[in-house]
Short mmCIF file of all heavy atoms in Angstrom, two decimals:
data_model
loop_
_atom_site.label_atom_id
_atom_site.label_comp_id
_atom_site.label_asym_id
_atom_site.label_seq_id
_atom_site.Cartn_x
_atom_site.Cartn_y
_atom_site.Cartn_z
N MET V 248 116.99 116.16 123.68
CA MET V 248 116.09 115.21 123.05
C MET V 248 115.08 114.71 124.05
O MET V 248 115.36 114.59 125.21
CB MET V 248 116.86 114.08 122.41
CG MET V 248 117.62 113.16 123.34
SD MET V 248 118.16 111.75 122.37
CE MET V 248 116.87 110.63 122.71
N LEU V 249 113.96 114.44 123.55
CA LEU V 249 112.87 114.12 124.43
C LEU V 249 112.13 112.91 123.92
O LEU V 249 111.27 113.01 123.06
CB LEU V 249 111.89 115.30 124.43
CG LEU V 249 111.89 116.16 125.68
CD1 LEU V 249 111.08 117.37 125.45
CD2 LEU V 249 111.42 115.36 126.85
N LYS V 250 112.50 111.79 124.40
CA LYS V 250 111.78 110.60 123.96
C LYS V 250 111.70 109.69 125.16
O LYS V 250 112.73 109.24 125.64
CB LYS V 250 112.55 109.92 122.82
CG LYS V 250 111.71 109.67 121.61
CD LYS V 250 112.54 109.06 120.52
CE LYS V 250 113.02 107.70 120.95
NZ LYS V 250 113.95 107.09 120.05
N ARG V 252 111.79 106.70 127.18
CA ARG V 252 112.19 105.34 126.88
C ARG V 252 112.76 104.74 128.15
O ARG V 252 113.70 105.29 128.69
CB ARG V 252 113.23 105.35 125.77
CG ARG V 252 113.51 103.98 125.24
CD ARG V 252 114.59 104.05 124.20
NE ARG V 252 115.84 104.46 124.84
CZ ARG V 252 117.02 104.31 124.26
NH1 ARG V 252 117.10 103.80 123.07
NH2 ARG V 252 118.12 104.68 124.88
N VAL V 254 114.91 102.52 130.75
CA VAL V 254 116.30 102.09 130.67
C VAL V 254 116.40 100.62 130.26
O VAL V 254 117.37 100.18 129.70
CB VAL V 254 117.00 102.34 132.01
CG1 VAL V 254 116.48 101.41 133.08
CG2 VAL V 254 118.49 102.18 131.87
N THR V 255 115.34 99.88 130.52
CA THR V 255 115.39 98.46 130.21
C THR V 255 115.53 98.21 128.72
O THR V 255 115.98 97.17 128.30
CB THR V 255 114.10 97.79 130.66
OG1 THR V 255 113.04 98.53 130.09
CG2 THR V 255 113.98 97.79 132.14
N LYS V 258 118.78 96.67 127.32
CA LYS V 258 118.96 95.23 127.28
C LYS V 258 118.11 94.66 126.13
O LYS V 258 118.55 93.81 125.39
CB LYS V 258 118.54 94.64 128.62
CG LYS V 258 118.78 93.16 128.75
CD LYS V 258 120.15 92.87 129.32
CE LYS V 258 120.54 91.42 129.18
NZ LYS V 258 119.68 90.51 129.91
N GLN V 259 116.88 95.21 126.06
CA GLN V 259 115.99 94.72 125.02
C GLN V 259 116.57 94.94 123.64
O GLN V 259 116.46 94.10 122.77
CB GLN V 259 114.67 95.48 125.08
CG GLN V 259 113.64 94.78 125.90
CD GLN V 259 112.48 95.70 126.11
OE1 GLN V 259 112.30 96.24 127.17
NE2 GLN V 259 111.71 95.90 125.07
N GLU V 319 130.01 97.68 113.07
CA GLU V 319 129.15 96.91 113.97
C GLU V 319 129.47 95.42 113.96
O GLU V 319 128.92 94.66 114.74
CB GLU V 319 127.68 97.07 113.56
CG GLU V 319 127.05 98.34 114.04
CD GLU V 319 126.50 99.14 112.88
OE1 GLU V 319 125.66 98.64 112.14
OE2 GLU V 319 126.97 100.29 112.70
N ASN V 321 131.94 93.27 114.83
CA ASN V 321 132.40 92.50 115.98
C ASN V 321 131.30 92.32 117.02
O ASN V 321 131.06 91.22 117.53
CB ASN V 321 133.59 93.18 116.64
CG ASN V 321 134.80 93.16 115.74
OD1 ASN V 321 134.68 92.84 114.56
ND2 ASN V 321 135.95 93.49 116.28
N SER V 322 130.61 93.42 117.32
CA SER V 322 129.61 93.32 118.36
C SER V 322 128.38 92.55 117.90
O SER V 322 127.82 91.74 118.64
CB SER V 322 129.22 94.71 118.86
OG SER V 322 129.22 95.62 117.81
N THR V 344 140.62 88.87 118.64
CA THR V 344 139.16 88.90 118.53
C THR V 344 138.65 87.50 118.17
O THR V 344 137.71 86.99 118.78
CB THR V 344 138.72 89.89 117.45
OG1 THR V 344 139.47 91.08 117.59
CG2 THR V 344 137.26 90.20 117.56
N SER V 347 139.50 84.73 120.93
CA SER V 347 138.57 84.63 122.05
C SER V 347 137.26 83.96 121.62
O SER V 347 136.63 83.25 122.40
CB SER V 347 138.34 86.01 122.68
OG SER V 347 137.23 86.61 122.12
N ASN V 351 135.96 80.62 123.43
CA ASN V 351 134.61 80.54 123.99
C ASN V 351 133.77 79.49 123.28
O ASN V 351 132.56 79.40 123.49
CB ASN V 351 133.93 81.90 123.92
CG ASN V 351 134.50 82.85 124.94
OD1 ASN V 351 134.93 82.42 126.02
ND2 ASN V 351 134.52 84.12 124.62
N GLN V 438 138.77 108.57 113.72
CA GLN V 438 139.89 108.15 114.56
C GLN V 438 140.72 106.98 114.03
O GLN V 438 141.93 107.00 114.13
CB GLN V 438 139.43 107.83 115.99
CG GLN V 438 138.74 109.02 116.66
CD GLN V 438 138.50 108.81 118.13
OE1 GLN V 438 139.39 108.41 118.86
NE2 GLN V 438 137.29 109.07 118.58
N ARG V 491 141.35 121.72 105.25
CA ARG V 491 140.76 122.57 106.26
C ARG V 491 139.66 121.81 107.00
O ARG V 491 138.87 121.11 106.41
CB ARG V 491 140.17 123.80 105.58
CG ARG V 491 140.09 124.92 106.50
CD ARG V 491 140.01 126.26 105.83
NE ARG V 491 139.36 127.09 106.81
CZ ARG V 491 138.09 127.44 106.72
NH1 ARG V 491 137.40 127.12 105.68
NH2 ARG V 491 137.54 128.13 107.68
N GLN V 494 139.50 117.92 111.29
CA GLN V 494 139.03 117.29 112.53
C GLN V 494 137.62 116.73 112.39
O GLN V 494 137.22 115.86 113.13
CB GLN V 494 139.04 118.32 113.69
CG GLN V 494 140.41 118.84 114.03
CD GLN V 494 140.70 120.16 113.33
OE1 GLN V 494 140.14 120.45 112.27
NE2 GLN V 494 141.57 120.95 113.91
N LYS V 497 135.47 112.79 107.73
CA LYS V 497 135.30 111.37 107.95
C LYS V 497 136.02 110.57 106.85
O LYS V 497 136.49 111.14 105.88
CB LYS V 497 133.81 111.00 107.96
CG LYS V 497 133.02 111.82 108.96
CD LYS V 497 131.72 111.16 109.31
CE LYS V 497 131.79 110.54 110.67
NZ LYS V 497 130.69 109.81 111.13
N ASP V 500 134.68 111.16 103.50
CA ASP V 500 135.07 112.49 103.03
C ASP V 500 136.47 112.44 102.41
O ASP V 500 136.72 113.03 101.36
CB ASP V 500 135.08 113.51 104.17
CG ASP V 500 133.69 113.77 104.73
OD1 ASP V 500 132.72 113.61 103.98
OD2 ASP V 500 133.59 114.14 105.91
N THR V 630 142.64 95.58 129.34
CA THR V 630 141.97 96.87 129.43
C THR V 630 142.94 97.86 130.06
O THR V 630 143.45 97.57 131.13
CB THR V 630 140.72 96.79 130.31
OG1 THR V 630 139.95 95.70 129.85
CG2 THR V 630 139.93 98.06 130.24
N PRO V 631 143.22 98.99 129.44
CA PRO V 631 142.74 99.44 128.13
C PRO V 631 143.51 98.74 127.01
O PRO V 631 144.69 98.49 127.17
CB PRO V 631 143.07 100.92 128.15
CG PRO V 631 144.26 101.04 129.04
CD PRO V 631 144.15 99.95 130.05
N ASN V 632 142.84 98.43 125.92
CA ASN V 632 143.57 97.70 124.88
C ASN V 632 144.31 98.64 123.95
O ASN V 632 143.91 99.76 123.69
CB ASN V 632 142.65 96.69 124.17
CG ASN V 632 141.84 97.29 123.08
OD1 ASN V 632 142.38 97.70 122.07
ND2 ASN V 632 140.54 97.38 123.29
N TRP V 638 144.27 104.51 118.43
CA TRP V 638 143.30 105.35 117.71
C TRP V 638 143.22 106.70 118.39
O TRP V 638 143.31 107.73 117.76
CB TRP V 638 141.90 104.74 117.72
CG TRP V 638 141.70 103.52 116.91
CD1 TRP V 638 142.65 102.64 116.49
CD2 TRP V 638 140.45 103.03 116.42
NE1 TRP V 638 142.06 101.65 115.78
CE2 TRP V 638 140.73 101.85 115.73
CE3 TRP V 638 139.14 103.49 116.53
CZ2 TRP V 638 139.72 101.10 115.12
CZ3 TRP V 638 138.14 102.75 115.93
CH2 TRP V 638 138.43 101.56 115.23
N ASN V 639 143.00 106.63 119.69
CA ASN V 639 142.75 107.84 120.45
C ASN V 639 143.96 108.78 120.40
O ASN V 639 143.83 109.94 120.03
CB ASN V 639 142.43 107.45 121.91
CG ASN V 639 142.08 108.64 122.76
OD1 ASN V 639 142.88 109.56 122.90
ND2 ASN V 639 140.89 108.65 123.31
N GLN V 643 144.56 112.37 118.36
CA GLN V 643 144.84 113.60 119.13
C GLN V 643 146.13 114.27 118.68
O GLN V 643 146.22 115.50 118.66
CB GLN V 643 144.92 113.27 120.61
CG GLN V 643 143.56 113.01 121.22
CD GLN V 643 143.62 113.21 122.71
OE1 GLN V 643 143.76 114.32 123.18
NE2 GLN V 643 143.53 112.13 123.46
N PHE Z 141 108.71 92.00 128.52
CA PHE Z 141 109.64 92.82 127.76
C PHE Z 141 110.18 94.01 128.53
O PHE Z 141 111.04 94.71 128.04
CB PHE Z 141 108.99 93.28 126.46
CG PHE Z 141 108.77 92.16 125.50
CD1 PHE Z 141 107.50 91.67 125.28
CD2 PHE Z 141 109.84 91.57 124.85
CE1 PHE Z 141 107.29 90.61 124.42
CE2 PHE Z 141 109.64 90.51 124.00
CZ PHE Z 141 108.36 90.03 123.77
N LEU Z 146 114.67 94.14 132.89
CA LEU Z 146 115.24 95.06 133.88
C LEU Z 146 115.80 94.29 135.07
O LEU Z 146 116.96 94.48 135.47
CB LEU Z 146 114.17 96.05 134.35
CG LEU Z 146 114.59 96.99 135.48
CD1 LEU Z 146 115.74 97.87 135.03
CD2 LEU Z 146 113.43 97.85 135.93
N ASP Z 148 116.58 91.17 135.19
CA ASP Z 148 117.67 90.31 134.74
C ASP Z 148 118.97 91.11 134.60
O ASP Z 148 120.05 90.63 134.94
CB ASP Z 148 117.30 89.68 133.39
CG ASP Z 148 118.20 88.50 133.06
OD1 ASP Z 148 118.52 87.75 134.01
OD2 ASP Z 148 118.58 88.35 131.90
N ASN Z 178 141.02 102.62 134.80
CA ASN Z 178 140.65 102.37 133.40
C ASN Z 178 139.18 102.60 133.16
O ASN Z 178 138.77 103.05 132.10
CB ASN Z 178 140.97 100.93 133.02
CG ASN Z 178 142.45 100.70 132.94
OD1 ASN Z 178 143.18 101.58 132.51
ND2 ASN Z 178 142.89 99.54 133.38
N HIS Z 197 119.92 121.05 127.27
CA HIS Z 197 118.53 120.82 126.88
C HIS Z 197 117.58 121.62 127.76
O HIS Z 197 116.62 122.21 127.29
CB HIS Z 197 118.18 119.34 126.94
CG HIS Z 197 118.62 118.60 125.73
ND1 HIS Z 197 119.90 118.19 125.54
CD2 HIS Z 197 117.94 118.19 124.64
CE1 HIS Z 197 120.00 117.57 124.38
NE2 HIS Z 197 118.84 117.55 123.81
N GLN Z 201 116.38 123.94 125.05
CA GLN Z 201 115.23 123.30 124.42
C GLN Z 201 113.91 123.69 125.06
O GLN Z 201 112.97 124.10 124.37
CB GLN Z 201 115.40 121.78 124.48
CG GLN Z 201 114.19 121.03 123.96
CD GLN Z 201 114.31 119.55 124.21
OE1 GLN Z 201 114.90 118.83 123.44
NE2 GLN Z 201 113.74 119.09 125.30
N GLN Z 243 125.63 116.66 109.80
CA GLN Z 243 127.05 116.50 109.50
C GLN Z 243 127.40 117.14 108.18
O GLN Z 243 128.44 117.78 108.04
CB GLN Z 243 127.38 115.01 109.40
CG GLN Z 243 127.86 114.42 110.71
CD GLN Z 243 128.33 113.01 110.48
OE1 GLN Z 243 129.45 112.78 110.12
NE2 GLN Z 243 127.45 112.07 110.70
N TRP Z 250 132.08 120.04 102.52
CA TRP Z 250 130.94 120.16 101.60
C TRP Z 250 129.84 121.07 102.14
O TRP Z 250 128.91 121.39 101.43
CB TRP Z 250 130.31 118.78 101.33
CG TRP Z 250 131.25 117.63 101.42
CD1 TRP Z 250 131.32 116.72 102.44
CD2 TRP Z 250 132.25 117.23 100.48
NE1 TRP Z 250 132.31 115.80 102.19
CE2 TRP Z 250 132.89 116.09 101.00
CE3 TRP Z 250 132.66 117.75 99.25
CZ2 TRP Z 250 133.92 115.44 100.33
CZ3 TRP Z 250 133.69 117.10 98.59
CH2 TRP Z 250 134.31 115.97 99.13
N GLU Z 254 129.50 127.47 106.22
CA GLU Z 254 130.54 128.47 106.11
C GLU Z 254 130.10 129.58 105.15
O GLU Z 254 130.25 130.78 105.44
CB GLU Z 254 131.83 127.81 105.61
CG GLU Z 254 133.01 128.74 105.71
CD GLU Z 254 134.30 128.04 105.39
OE1 GLU Z 254 134.27 126.88 104.95
OE2 GLU Z 254 135.35 128.66 105.59
N LYS Z 272 136.06 119.24 116.95
CA LYS Z 272 136.91 119.79 118.00
C LYS Z 272 136.42 119.33 119.37
O LYS Z 272 135.23 119.33 119.65
CB LYS Z 272 136.87 121.33 117.94
CG LYS Z 272 137.51 121.91 116.68
CD LYS Z 272 138.98 122.25 116.92
CE LYS Z 272 139.70 122.59 115.64
NZ LYS Z 272 139.59 123.99 115.27
N SER Z 284 120.47 118.01 118.81
CA SER Z 284 119.43 117.28 119.51
C SER Z 284 118.28 118.21 119.93
O SER Z 284 117.11 117.86 119.81
CB SER Z 284 120.04 116.58 120.73
OG SER Z 284 119.05 116.01 121.51
N PHE Z 288 114.33 117.89 118.86
CA PHE Z 288 113.27 117.52 119.80
C PHE Z 288 112.51 118.69 120.40
O PHE Z 288 111.68 118.49 121.26
CB PHE Z 288 113.84 116.64 120.91
CG PHE Z 288 114.19 115.27 120.41
CD1 PHE Z 288 115.51 114.88 120.26
CD2 PHE Z 288 113.19 114.37 120.08
CE1 PHE Z 288 115.82 113.62 119.78
CE2 PHE Z 288 113.50 113.12 119.60
CZ PHE Z 288 114.81 112.74 119.44
N ILE Z 291 108.61 118.59 120.95
CA ILE Z 291 107.85 117.88 121.96
C ILE Z 291 107.43 118.78 123.14
O ILE Z 291 106.24 118.84 123.45
CB ILE Z 291 108.62 116.63 122.43
CG1 ILE Z 291 108.65 115.65 121.26
CG2 ILE Z 291 107.96 116.00 123.65
CD1 ILE Z 291 109.29 114.33 121.57
N PRO Z 292 108.36 119.53 123.76
CA PRO Z 292 107.89 120.46 124.79
C PRO Z 292 106.91 121.48 124.21
O PRO Z 292 105.92 121.83 124.86
CB PRO Z 292 109.16 121.15 125.29
CG PRO Z 292 110.23 120.81 124.34
CD PRO Z 292 109.84 119.53 123.66
N LEU Z 340 110.71 114.28 131.47
CA LEU Z 340 110.92 113.57 130.20
C LEU Z 340 112.29 113.89 129.63
O LEU Z 340 113.00 113.02 129.13
CB LEU Z 340 109.83 113.95 129.20
CG LEU Z 340 108.45 113.36 129.43
CD1 LEU Z 340 107.47 113.90 128.39
CD2 LEU Z 340 108.51 111.85 129.34
N THR Z 341 112.69 115.17 129.71
CA THR Z 341 113.99 115.56 129.20
C THR Z 341 115.09 114.82 129.95
O THR Z 341 116.03 114.30 129.35
CB THR Z 341 114.20 117.08 129.37
OG1 THR Z 341 113.06 117.75 128.90
CG2 THR Z 341 115.44 117.54 128.64
N ALA Z 344 115.11 111.09 128.98
CA ALA Z 344 115.56 110.90 127.60
C ALA Z 344 117.04 111.22 127.46
O ALA Z 344 117.78 110.53 126.78
CB ALA Z 344 114.74 111.77 126.66
N ASN Z 347 119.28 108.57 128.73
CA ASN Z 347 119.26 107.37 127.90
C ASN Z 347 119.74 107.65 126.48
O ASN Z 347 119.70 106.78 125.63
CB ASN Z 347 117.84 106.81 127.82
CG ASN Z 347 117.52 105.94 129.01
OD1 ASN Z 347 118.41 105.27 129.53
ND2 ASN Z 347 116.28 105.96 129.45
N TYR Z 353 125.94 108.10 118.46
CA TYR Z 353 126.40 106.93 117.70
C TYR Z 353 126.35 107.20 116.20
O TYR Z 353 127.25 106.82 115.46
CB TYR Z 353 125.54 105.72 118.07
CG TYR Z 353 126.04 104.43 117.43
CD1 TYR Z 353 127.21 103.83 117.88
CD2 TYR Z 353 125.35 103.84 116.38
CE1 TYR Z 353 127.67 102.67 117.30
CE2 TYR Z 353 125.80 102.68 115.80
CZ TYR Z 353 126.96 102.09 116.27
OH TYR Z 353 127.42 100.94 115.68
N VAL Z 355 126.53 110.09 114.65
CA VAL Z 355 127.44 111.12 114.18
C VAL Z 355 128.90 110.80 114.51
O VAL Z 355 129.77 110.93 113.67
CB VAL Z 355 127.07 112.50 114.77
CG1 VAL Z 355 128.06 113.56 114.35
CG2 VAL Z 355 125.67 112.88 114.33
N GLY Z 361 134.20 110.30 119.77
CA GLY Z 361 135.37 111.16 119.70
C GLY Z 361 135.01 112.62 119.59
O GLY Z 361 133.82 112.96 119.54
N ASN Z 363 138.57 112.12 121.42
CA ASN Z 363 139.03 111.85 122.78
C ASN Z 363 137.88 111.75 123.78
O ASN Z 363 137.92 112.30 124.86
CB ASN Z 363 140.03 112.94 123.24
CG ASN Z 363 140.78 112.52 124.47
OD1 ASN Z 363 140.90 111.33 124.75
ND2 ASN Z 363 141.27 113.48 125.23
N PHE Z 364 136.81 111.05 123.40
CA PHE Z 364 135.67 110.77 124.27
C PHE Z 364 134.95 112.04 124.74
O PHE Z 364 134.25 112.01 125.74
CB PHE Z 364 136.10 109.96 125.50
CG PHE Z 364 136.70 108.64 125.12
CD1 PHE Z 364 138.05 108.40 125.31
CD2 PHE Z 364 135.92 107.65 124.57
CE1 PHE Z 364 138.61 107.18 124.93
CE2 PHE Z 364 136.47 106.43 124.20
CZ PHE Z 364 137.82 106.20 124.39
N GLN Z 381 135.78 97.42 118.24
CA GLN Z 381 136.99 97.04 117.51
C GLN Z 381 137.70 95.94 118.30
O GLN Z 381 137.14 94.87 118.48
CB GLN Z 381 137.88 98.28 117.31
CG GLN Z 381 139.02 98.05 116.35
CD GLN Z 381 138.57 97.73 114.94
OE1 GLN Z 381 137.42 97.89 114.61
NE2 GLN Z 381 139.48 97.26 114.11
N GLN Z 383 138.41 95.89 121.48
CA GLN Z 383 137.97 95.77 122.87
C GLN Z 383 136.82 94.79 122.93
O GLN Z 383 135.83 94.94 122.22
CB GLN Z 383 137.52 97.14 123.40
CG GLN Z 383 136.97 97.08 124.81
CD GLN Z 383 136.29 98.37 125.21
OE1 GLN Z 383 136.59 99.43 124.70
NE2 GLN Z 383 135.34 98.28 126.13
N PHE Z 398 120.28 103.29 135.33
CA PHE Z 398 118.93 103.15 135.90
C PHE Z 398 118.86 103.86 137.24
O PHE Z 398 117.92 104.60 137.53
CB PHE Z 398 118.62 101.65 136.02
CG PHE Z 398 117.35 101.35 136.76
CD1 PHE Z 398 116.13 101.67 136.19
CD2 PHE Z 398 117.38 100.76 138.01
CE1 PHE Z 398 114.96 101.40 136.87
CE2 PHE Z 398 116.21 100.49 138.69
CZ PHE Z 398 115.00 100.81 138.12
#
Side-chain angles (χ1 to χ4, degrees):
Chain V
M248 66 169 265
L249 253 171
K250 233 177 65 187
R252 190 183 66 163
V254 69
T255 53
K258 185 91 193 297
Q259 266 170 255
E319 280 123 58
N321 293 12
S322 36
T344 316
S347 93
N351 287 329
Q438 302 190 49
R491 204 159 155 257
Q494 297 95 334
K497 305 200 105 184
D500 294 333
T630 309
N632 84 68
W638 290 23
N639 184 301
Q643 285 201 70
Chain Z
F141 291 106
L146 174 62
D148 196 39
N178 289 324
H197 278 80
Q201 175 188 275
Q243 267 187 85
W250 331 105
E254 191 173 8
K272 293 266 170 87
S284 173
F288 288 108
I291 292 184
L340 285 177
T341 311
N347 277 326
Y353 186 72
V355 176
N363 194 24
F364 300 111
Q381 191 63 13
Q383 177 191 334
F398 172 69

